[in-house]
Every structure is written in structure tokens, then in C-alpha cells.
Amino acid sequence: MKRKRNLYQIEEDRPTGREELCRYFPYFNSNSSQLVCLFIGRIFRRPVLGKAMVVAVHASPLVFLPSSPFAASRNLKKQCNTIINFNIGLQSSHRKPSCITISSIKCSASSTSAIISKEEEPLPLEVNEIKTMCKTWVWRGYNINYLSYQARNNNTSRPSLLLVHGFGASVAHWRKNIAILAQDYAVYAIDLLGFGASDKPEGFAYNMETWAQLILDFVNETIQRPTVLVGNSVGSLACVIAAADPSQTSIQGLVLLNCAGGMNNKAIVDDWRIKLLLPLLWLVDFLLNQKPIASAIFNRVKQRENLKNILLSVYGNKESVDEDLVDIIRTPADAEGALDAFVSIVTGPPGPNPVQLIPKVTLPILVLWGDQDPFTPIDGPVGRYFSSLPSQKPNVSLFLLEGVGHCPHDDRPDLVHEKLLPWLNHLPVTENVVT
């Protein structure tokens, strides 16, 4: 009989056989695991491997993770929801998993002035509205799409916020967050090079360091004020790299939503299961470098039904996955250069990982983690590392969001705002202009 997880102590499951493969394959990014299912499973037609890979695919987010705010807003509840607060307790033996004491916090709209009542919440932005508001910033000869949404109260003593999407997403992924955050902050959202409406240059070699530099340059050239970076998945990792740059003086804080461990599945931590799958990942890289094969895989992945199934597998709130969301996902995937970007990101170097970077960051860090994330699970290598940080670094706060998947800000924005707004409200006031 399968052991039932104890909600008050996260322990490491020890699946065997196919379960072992399926569970640990989607760590970091799901790019390669999806490709293995769509291609390797079909070519070799091995029943055991094929079935295992199908499970791995349904547990991974893969390509594009924007969201539709409409289903969520129609079903928005009036009461606040439960958020799980992590208090990390260290274990004396390295052989045992860290014990996490979890306390349930009931929030009310009047519990803090930083939380906006449901009646006063602005509606999520519509996709067409976002398109008309977006502007273009030229970076190193490339057109970068971004949105600027100024604070309603024009409070210049608060930092600006820069929202950075995850793999395959875009500015529209933050539709449920922008208007609420803009009640007290100047909000910016950006399409990273290769995604959304930003340029997708042919033959460009994408890497994490390039995105991090783009973020820093955008803050210094366009925002020109102290800024808090808010990122999801691989966007979180790009924000960490930017904040860890010793020469930067513009970043005031980090908000990391289910941070990725690397640009793709080749990001390795000290886990033998990931290393065991490296030959398979190298095979995927070889296949993707064959243009006809890569094109066939990419076209299959972006089919409406496949995209919807992928999104359903990574969202805790299934009502957020509707036809509008699927349409938003397909648009960037059909743009010229999207295939080249996809192949370059999947086959490129994974880049620095959080274990290397976080010790260099002394800024305030808020980590929010969906406990239903099959992509970077809280009891996986990356999740375990982040869950250990509050006991080691006083600048890190971490909260586990119950019933939430890989994209908390879109999956359950109400839970994210209940933790994000008070944290932002307690940041120290700094100079208004970046020097």
C-alpha cells in the first residue's frame, strides 16, 4: 500500500522502477522530459519506457505557462484562504529529511492594511488591454516588449516592481497581479528575449546570463529607480543571477515563485537520479539539433489539446486553464523564431543554479512555493534547498502555498498577494533614483 504523506512532516518518498523515473525526471525544467515522451516513446515504442514517460510528461509544465484571469476572477471567493507558514527545523542526521513544521494561518481582509479587501480589488487586465499598453525597448539592437503600469497613489518612496515570467510565458502571465500591485507600486512586466512579443533572433544562443543582464539593463535604463524583482520559474532564476551581480546597485529585493534550478534539465544538483538520466538528455539534444525532428516535435507540443493537458498538469486550480489561456499560449509559439528559441533553450547550457547564487545575495528574499508543483516539488532537490534557507539566512522568508501548482501568481493570486503585499510594505525606504 502506498504510504500517505504526512502534511506536518515532508519526507522523501522512495518510489521504485517506473515511479522512480517518472518522479525525478521533471526536475528543474520539463523541456526535455516532454520531448522524450513525444519522440523517444514513439520511436522506440517500448511499453514500459513509453508509459513511464507519459506520466513524466503529464507531471511537467513544459513550454508556455501564461494564464487566463477570467475563470479565476469569476470564481473568486470572498473569504481569505489558508497559507502554510514554514518554520524549518534542522535535523541532526543528514540521512533523515529536514523536518518542516507547518502552521496554518487564517487571514482576514482586516488583518493587515497591506491586504486589499476583495470588494476593492481591481479586475484583472484583459489581454487586448495589455497589448495596447505595451511598449518597445531596444536592447542591443533587439526589440523587447514590456508593460509599464504606474502606481495609483504615485508613492515615490516605494520601490518599483519588475515582473519576470517563466519559460515560454509573457507579460500576459501577470494579468491577475498587475492592477492589484499597481495600487501602491509602479509595476513593470517584461517579455524576455525569445518569448512573448520580444524578438526571437535566428541562431541566437540563449542562456541565463543574457536574460539576467537584460533585466539589469532594463532596470537601469528604463525604470531608473530601486526595484524589487518578482520572478516565476526560470524567470526567478534570471532574477537571482541579476541580484547576485556584485556590481549592481539597483535591486532592492527578490520575490521567487517556484524558482527553477536551471535553464533546462541538464542543471544538476547532488542527486543520483538526475545524473542517471543525463545520457537520455544528451540524446534529446542530438535529436533536437536535427531541424525536421525538432519542427515535428515542436508542432506537436503546441497543439491545442496537448498544451491544455500540460497546463492542467501543473495548475492546482484547474479552472484557470481555459480556452483563452490556450489561445494565449499558441500565439508566441507560432511567431517566427519561436522554434529556434525553443531548441536553443532546451539544448543550451543550464547556467548557474540557485545553490551557487543565493549565498551571494544579502537582499531581502521572499520565496513562495506551490505545494502541488510537479515541476520543482518542494521535496525535490531545488525545493529542499530553498526550504532550508530560512534557518540559515535571516534575509529569506519562505511560505508554502497549499493546493497551488508551479505558477502561484496565476494559479492562486489571492494567496500570493496575502503574503507578497505585507512583505513589500516592510521593505526599507531607499533613494528614488538608481545611480
PDB file of all heavy atoms in Angstrom, residues 288-301:
ATOM      1  N   LEU A 288      17.098  17.048 -31.229  1.00  0.00           N
ATOM      2  CA  LEU A 288      16.565  18.393 -31.457  1.00  0.00           C
ATOM      3  C   LEU A 288      17.439  19.211 -32.394  1.00  0.00           C
ATOM      4  O   LEU A 288      16.975  20.188 -32.987  1.00  0.00           O
ATOM      5  CB  LEU A 288      16.416  19.129 -30.123  1.00  0.00           C
ATOM      6  CG  LEU A 288      15.202  18.735 -29.280  1.00  0.00           C
ATOM      7  CD1 LEU A 288      15.188  19.513 -27.978  1.00  0.00           C
ATOM      8  CD2 LEU A 288      13.907  18.969 -30.034  1.00  0.00           C
ATOM      9  N   ASN A 289      18.680  18.855 -32.503  1.00  0.00           N
ATOM     10  CA  ASN A 289      19.558  19.564 -33.419  1.00  0.00           C
ATOM     11  C   ASN A 289      19.344  19.125 -34.874  1.00  0.00           C
ATOM     12  O   ASN A 289      19.991  19.658 -35.783  1.00  0.00           O
ATOM     13  CB  ASN A 289      21.017  19.368 -33.022  1.00  0.00           C
ATOM     14  CG  ASN A 289      21.398  20.275 -31.862  1.00  0.00           C
ATOM     15  OD1 ASN A 289      21.185  21.483 -31.913  1.00  0.00           O
ATOM     16  ND2 ASN A 289      21.955  19.703 -30.806  1.00  0.00           N
ATOM     17  N   GLN A 290      18.448  18.170 -35.087  1.00  0.00           N
ATOM     18  CA  GLN A 290      18.024  17.795 -36.435  1.00  0.00           C
ATOM     19  C   GLN A 290      16.743  18.578 -36.725  1.00  0.00           C
ATOM     20  O   GLN A 290      15.704  18.314 -36.139  1.00  0.00           O
ATOM     21  CB  GLN A 290      17.778  16.283 -36.545  1.00  0.00           C
ATOM     22  CG  GLN A 290      18.809  15.413 -35.845  1.00  0.00           C
ATOM     23  CD  GLN A 290      20.227  15.676 -36.282  1.00  0.00           C
ATOM     24  OE1 GLN A 290      20.504  15.760 -37.472  1.00  0.00           O
ATOM     25  NE2 GLN A 290      21.139  15.826 -35.319  1.00  0.00           N
ATOM     26  N   LYS A 291      16.822  19.559 -37.609  1.00  0.00           N
ATOM     27  CA  LYS A 291      15.733  20.512 -37.825  1.00  0.00           C
ATOM     28  C   LYS A 291      14.377  19.848 -38.106  1.00  0.00           C
ATOM     29  O   LYS A 291      13.359  20.244 -37.520  1.00  0.00           O
ATOM     30  CB  LYS A 291      16.100  21.469 -38.952  1.00  0.00           C
ATOM     31  CG  LYS A 291      15.183  22.672 -39.072  1.00  0.00           C
ATOM     32  CD  LYS A 291      15.293  23.580 -37.875  1.00  0.00           C
ATOM     33  CE  LYS A 291      14.465  24.855 -38.044  1.00  0.00           C
ATOM     34  NZ  LYS A 291      15.131  25.818 -38.953  1.00  0.00           N
ATOM     35  N   PRO A 292      14.282  18.843 -38.993  1.00  0.00           N
ATOM     36  CA  PRO A 292      12.967  18.235 -39.247  1.00  0.00           C
ATOM     37  C   PRO A 292      12.373  17.581 -37.999  1.00  0.00           C
ATOM     38  O   PRO A 292      11.155  17.670 -37.769  1.00  0.00           O
ATOM     39  CB  PRO A 292      13.274  17.193 -40.329  1.00  0.00           C
ATOM     40  CG  PRO A 292      14.525  17.667 -40.983  1.00  0.00           C
ATOM     41  CD  PRO A 292      15.330  18.293 -39.894  1.00  0.00           C
ATOM     42  N   ILE A 293      13.210  16.928 -37.204  1.00  0.00           N
ATOM     43  CA  ILE A 293      12.721  16.296 -35.984  1.00  0.00           C
ATOM     44  C   ILE A 293      12.261  17.354 -34.990  1.00  0.00           C
ATOM     45  O   ILE A 293      11.186  17.244 -34.393  1.00  0.00           O
ATOM     46  CB  ILE A 293      13.813  15.406 -35.360  1.00  0.00           C
ATOM     47  CG1 ILE A 293      14.159  14.256 -36.303  1.00  0.00           C
ATOM     48  CG2 ILE A 293      13.367  14.872 -34.004  1.00  0.00           C
ATOM     49  CD1 ILE A 293      15.297  13.377 -35.814  1.00  0.00           C
ATOM     50  N   ALA A 294      13.069  18.395 -34.817  1.00  0.00           N
ATOM     51  CA  ALA A 294      12.716  19.457 -33.881  1.00  0.00           C
ATOM     52  C   ALA A 294      11.406  20.124 -34.277  1.00  0.00           C
ATOM     53  O   ALA A 294      10.555  20.416 -33.424  1.00  0.00           O
ATOM     54  CB  ALA A 294      13.840  20.481 -33.818  1.00  0.00           C
ATOM     55  N   SER A 295      11.221  20.379 -35.566  1.00  0.00           N
ATOM     56  CA  SER A 295      10.000  21.014 -36.044  1.00  0.00           C
ATOM     57  C   SER A 295       8.776  20.146 -35.791  1.00  0.00           C
ATOM     58  O   SER A 295       7.723  20.632 -35.365  1.00  0.00           O
ATOM     59  CB  SER A 295      10.129  21.319 -37.544  1.00  0.00           C
ATOM     60  OG  SER A 295       8.963  21.922 -38.039  1.00  0.00           O
ATOM     61  N   ALA A 296       8.921  18.832 -36.038  1.00  0.00           N
ATOM     62  CA  ALA A 296       7.798  17.922 -35.813  1.00  0.00           C
ATOM     63  C   ALA A 296       7.417  17.873 -34.337  1.00  0.00           C
ATOM     64  O   ALA A 296       6.228  17.881 -33.987  1.00  0.00           O
ATOM     65  CB  ALA A 296       8.157  16.529 -36.321  1.00  0.00           C
ATOM     66  N   ILE A 297       8.404  17.819 -33.465  1.00  0.00           N
ATOM     67  CA  ILE A 297       8.135  17.780 -32.025  1.00  0.00           C
ATOM     68  C   ILE A 297       7.485  19.068 -31.564  1.00  0.00           C
ATOM     69  O   ILE A 297       6.484  19.065 -30.835  1.00  0.00           O
ATOM     70  CB  ILE A 297       9.437  17.524 -31.243  1.00  0.00           C
ATOM     71  CG1 ILE A 297       9.954  16.120 -31.530  1.00  0.00           C
ATOM     72  CG2 ILE A 297       9.226  17.714 -29.747  1.00  0.00           C
ATOM     73  CD1 ILE A 297      11.318  15.830 -30.938  1.00  0.00           C
ATOM     74  N   PHE A 298       8.038  20.195 -31.996  1.00  0.00           N
ATOM     75  CA  PHE A 298       7.512  21.490 -31.567  1.00  0.00           C
ATOM     76  C   PHE A 298       6.075  21.692 -32.034  1.00  0.00           C
ATOM     77  O   PHE A 298       5.219  22.173 -31.278  1.00  0.00           O
ATOM     78  CB  PHE A 298       8.410  22.601 -32.116  1.00  0.00           C
ATOM     79  CG  PHE A 298       8.083  23.965 -31.585  1.00  0.00           C
ATOM     80  CD1 PHE A 298       8.230  24.252 -30.237  1.00  0.00           C
ATOM     81  CD2 PHE A 298       7.634  24.971 -32.434  1.00  0.00           C
ATOM     82  CE1 PHE A 298       7.943  25.516 -29.741  1.00  0.00           C
ATOM     83  CE2 PHE A 298       7.343  26.228 -31.948  1.00  0.00           C
ATOM     84  CZ  PHE A 298       7.490  26.504 -30.598  1.00  0.00           C
ATOM     85  N   ASN A 299       5.776  21.317 -33.266  1.00  0.00           N
ATOM     86  CA  ASN A 299       4.415  21.450 -33.783  1.00  0.00           C
ATOM     87  C   ASN A 299       3.442  20.573 -33.008  1.00  0.00           C
ATOM     88  O   ASN A 299       2.286  20.959 -32.798  1.00  0.00           O
ATOM     89  CB  ASN A 299       4.378  21.097 -35.268  1.00  0.00           C
ATOM     90  CG  ASN A 299       5.044  22.151 -36.126  1.00  0.00           C
ATOM     91  OD1 ASN A 299       5.127  23.321 -35.749  1.00  0.00           O
ATOM     92  ND2 ASN A 299       5.554  21.747 -37.292  1.00  0.00           N
ATOM     93  N   ARG A 300       3.908  19.416 -32.590  1.00  0.00           N
ATOM     94  CA  ARG A 300       3.033  18.533 -31.817  1.00  0.00           C
ATOM     95  C   ARG A 300       2.790  19.093 -30.417  1.00  0.00           C
ATOM     96  O   ARG A 300       1.677  19.057 -29.891  1.00  0.00           O
ATOM     97  CB  ARG A 300       3.645  17.130 -31.731  1.00  0.00           C
ATOM     98  CG  ARG A 300       2.782  16.134 -30.978  1.00  0.00           C
ATOM     99  CD  ARG A 300       3.373  14.742 -31.016  1.00  0.00           C
ATOM    100  NE  ARG A 300       2.553  13.807 -30.259  1.00  0.00           N
ATOM    101  CZ  ARG A 300       1.463  13.210 -30.731  1.00  0.00           C
ATOM    102  NH1 ARG A 300       1.073  13.467 -31.958  1.00  0.00           N
ATOM    103  NH2 ARG A 300       0.782  12.367 -29.985  1.00  0.00           N
ATOM    104  N   VAL A 301       3.829  19.621 -29.812  1.00  0.00           N
ATOM    105  CA  VAL A 301       3.717  20.158 -28.458  1.00  0.00           C
ATOM    106  C   VAL A 301       2.722  21.305 -28.397  1.00  0.00           C
ATOM    107  O   VAL A 301       1.940  21.425 -27.456  1.00  0.00           O
ATOM    108  CB  VAL A 301       5.095  20.610 -27.947  1.00  0.00           C
ATOM    109  CG1 VAL A 301       4.969  21.454 -26.686  1.00  0.00           C
ATOM    110  CG2 VAL A 301       5.980  19.403 -27.668  1.00  0.00           C
TER     111      VAL A 301
END
